[in-house]
């Protein structure tokens, strides 16, 4: 019997069964330098030759931790994909949600996570997506500015990429959908407005498809909950999965 939303703390080397959200604490997974949440979609075990999309979710400063089983629970405090899965939602993609002691996970570390996933899971390399909130969104932008050729689309929420050169990503055709609250007192909405404008109007060639921006009037820093759970009316998962390299 499949147990949806089950949280399991595995023996070393074990993998999640399909439909489970699995804690993979720091130090228990050879080749991975961070603790993380792992989710394998329904059908993963039943289709041993099929590849699946990969979504990597990056948390913010409020969820930092050492990657232990206890610390990983902080990531579950967010209204974001890991908690949605725990509460019974299914997704048609592999999810990796790492935890870091400093939320500003480096571009190199993000790349190592993606490369790890490509080796250890049946990842479709043409359908790799990156999303994050706050500090995680800042690093989503930072990774995309360098490794745009590895990503099918990005979804940064409440981030800031005003200082980045995103024209190479624009020229590559990387799909972008940024979200921000106009009353965000921690990360200004211009942190999303400026990079989207850069990609669409400053860069030559301009982004094609055009980078998208959704602003929530009067909303503060937490603009991600309503985005990830769909209560704002956006199906960001269908949008992500609609793109491939």
């Amino acid at each position: 019997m499949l147990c949806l939303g089950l949280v399991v703390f595995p023996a070393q080397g074990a993998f999640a069964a399909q439909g489970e959200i699995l804690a993979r604490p720091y130090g228990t997974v050879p080749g991975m330098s961070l603790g993380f949440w792992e989710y394998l979609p329904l059908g993963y075990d039943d289709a041993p030759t099929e590849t699946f999309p990969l979504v990597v979710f990056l948390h913010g400063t409020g969820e930092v931790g050492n990657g232990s089983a206890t610390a990983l629970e902080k990531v579950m405090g967010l209204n974001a994909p890991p908690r949605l899965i725990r509460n019974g939602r299914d997704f048609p993609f592999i999810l990796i949600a790492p935890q870091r002691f400093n939320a500003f996970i480096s571009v190199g570390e993000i790349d190592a996570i993606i490369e790890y996933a490509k080796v250890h899971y049946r990842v479709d390399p043409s359908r790799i997506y990156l999303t994050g909130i706050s500090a995680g969104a800042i690093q989503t932008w930072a990774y995309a500015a360098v490794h745009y050729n590895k990503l099918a689309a990005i979804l940064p929420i409440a981030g800031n990429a005003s200082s980045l050169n995103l024209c190479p990503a624009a020229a590559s055709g990387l799909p972008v959908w940024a979200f921000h609250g106009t009353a965000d007192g921690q990360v200004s909405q211009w942190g999303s407005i400026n990079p989207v404008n850069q990609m669409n109007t400053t860069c030559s060639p301009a982004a094609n498809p055009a980078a998208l921006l959704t602003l929530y009037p009067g909303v503060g820093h937490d603009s991600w909950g309503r985005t990830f759970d769909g209560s704002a009316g956006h199906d960001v998962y269908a949008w992500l999965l609609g793109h491939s390299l």
Side-chain angles (χ1 to χ4, degrees):
M1 178 181 294
L2 180 64
C3 186
L4 301 183
L6 178 65
V7 181
V8 181
F9 298 95
Q12 182 169 336
F15 284 87
Q18 58 186 22
E20 293 179 351
I21 185 78
L22 183 79
R24 307 276 278 167
Y26 170 76
T28 65
V29 182
M32 175 64 93
S33 62
L34 299 169
F36 61 100
W37 288 101
E38 168 192 283
Y39 169 78
L40 302 179
L42 297 176
Y44 188 90
D45 295 341
D46 303 325
T49 62
E50 185 178 346
T51 59
F52 292 83
L54 169 69
V55 174
V56 176
F57 168 74
L58 305 178
H59 64 75
T61 56
E63 296 73 49
V64 298
N66 62 9
S68 68
T70 300
L72 280 167
E73 282 297 315
K74 294 174 71 175
V75 178
M76 283 292 179
L78 294 167
N79 191 19
R83 191 167 84 181
L84 294 174
I85 294 167
R86 171 178 278 183
N87 289 340
R89 183 160 180 178
D90 301 315
F91 291 111
F93 50 75
I94 300 163
L95 176 74
I96 300 295
Q99 184 185 50
R100 192 175 187 276
F101 66 91
N102 178 316
F104 291 90
I105 184 170
S106 71
V107 168
E109 287 172 317
I110 298 169
D111 198 52
I113 290 167
I114 289 174
E115 290 303 315
Y116 171 89
K118 287 162 64 176
V119 170
H120 290 86
Y121 307 92
R122 297 199 311 276
V123 171
D124 180 347
S126 71
R127 303 182 75 194
I128 296 174
Y129 311 94
L130 188 59
T131 184
I133 66 159
S134 191
I138 291 171
Q139 296 310 105
T140 294
W141 282 112
Y143 183 84
V146 178
H147 293 294
Y148 47 84
N149 59 326
K150 290 188 176 185
L151 298 171
I154 65 168
L155 191 82
I157 306 175
N160 184 354
S162 294
S163 65
L164 296 176
N165 176 13
L166 294 163
C167 289
S172 76
L174 175 68
V176 172
W177 193 356
F179 290 81
H180 222 114
T182 64
D184 191 330
Q186 296 186 50
V187 182
S188 169
Q189 63 180 317
W190 292 98
S192 294
I193 295 170
N194 288 337
V196 168
N197 285 344
Q198 178 195 156
M199 295 184 75
N200 290 338
T201 64
T202 304
C203 294
S204 181
N208 184 18
L212 303 177
L213 174 64
T214 295
L215 297 175
Y216 296 123
V219 170
H221 193 46
D222 182 0
S223 50
W224 52 84
R226 69 200 67 213
T227 302
F228 284 129
D229 69 15
S231 60
H234 309 295
D235 189 342
V236 294
Y237 308 105
W239 179 83
L240 284 172
L241 297 174
H243 299 286
S244 61
L245 294 176

